[in-house]
Amino acid sequence: MSNRSAERPVGPAIKNWAQPPRPDGEVFAGRYVTLEPLSAERHAALLYRAYVGEDHVWDYLPYGPFSSASQYHRWVRDSEGKADPYFLAVKDLAQDQWVGVASFLRIKPEAGSIEVGHINFSPALQRTPAATEAIFLMMKWAFEVGYRRFEWKCDALNHPSRRAAQRLGLSYEGVFRQATIVKGRNRDTAWFAAIDAEWPALKEAFEAWLAPSNFDEQGQQKERLGDLTRLVRVANDPTL
């Protein structure tokens, strides 16, 4: 090997790391929410009811809205049990209702990378501690079984999703222009991610925010999660 080749920079060696498992049947139970593998029989009718009259929740997804309960049931039946994307149904424990869906996708155990996506939280779930805890539980599982990178991608025009990713402590990594076509329209894709080195601080931030003591008698937060995660993020979204 020449001296020139020997001096070329390379990434650090990965030591004492084992390839993590794929998600497979786990139930994620928290204080405010439970997530379990999506099932047409258990969840489709109840989830459809949560989305009725709220067609806007499908705007940035590659499917939907669905015109009938049977049409949505078929979609859930076709989606359940897939290895990637791996869909989960979300139950708000205070409401005792199934009110949303999320998934792991682009699961690459060999690289230690996993993405959260296909997030479709009904208005009844949005902007609640349960919604935040749902993503926290997915992130917690991913890092604690050994994933090195937790990704979030969304339509670059979907500013609520970009704002949510940053609030949750994921760092902005840029926009892939003309990344794909969704429902006949161009989609630029905004990328966010957290890595395992950031997880201990992010976990502490989530646990502090989700604690009952962080909410007053009216359920209003005392500290904002975005403030707690600000010091962990290595880059902020310039559009926010």
Side-chain angles (χ1 to χ4, degrees), residues 141-157:
W141 178 85
F143 283 124
E144 291 189 352
V145 300
Y147 283 91
R148 304 171 59 236
R149 175 176 169 85
F150 185 86
E151 298 181 333
W152 175 301
K153 304 185 186 81
C154 62
D155 190 309
L157 297 176

Side-chain angles (χ1 to χ4, degrees), residues 32 129 167 205-228 230:
Y32 305 105
R167 170 182 174 270
F206 275 109
E207 290 177 341
W209 189 85
L210 289 165
S213 59
N214 189 45
F215 299 91
D216 63 22
E217 293 180 355
Q218 288 72 45
Q220 298 299 310
Q221 63 182 350
K222 298 176 182 178
E223 289 193 85
R224 300 191 307 171
L225 182 60
D227 292 339
L228 296 172
R230 180 177 292 118

Side-chain angles (χ1 to χ4, degrees), residues 13-88:
I14 306 299
K15 298 179 180 179
N16 302 317
W17 177 77
Q19 182 171 306
R22 290 178 173 272
D24 184 18
E26 289 84 5
V27 173
F28 307 103
R31 178 180 288 117
Y32 305 105
V33 73
T34 294
L35 295 85
E36 68 181 36
L38 182 65
S39 160
E41 180 178 354
R42 282 181 51 79
H43 308 123
L46 299 172
L47 285 169
Y48 178 76
R49 191 181 306 163
Y51 298 132
V52 167
E54 307 289 351
D55 285 359
H56 64 279
V57 301
W58 306 98
D59 285 349
Y60 295 108
L61 292 168
Y63 42 78
F66 298 93
S67 60
S68 66
S70 60
Q71 189 181 59
Y72 182 68
H73 188 280
R74 285 193 297 272
W75 177 84
V76 175
R77 186 186 61 209
D78 291 343
S79 300
E80 67 179 348
K82 288 185 176 179
D84 192 345
Y86 182 83
F87 281 95
L88 298 163

Side-chain angles (χ1 to χ4, degrees), residues 189-203:
T189 296
W191 287 52
F192 298 81
I195 61 172
D196 54 358
E198 297 158 356
W199 172 240
L202 288 177
K203 181 181 179 183

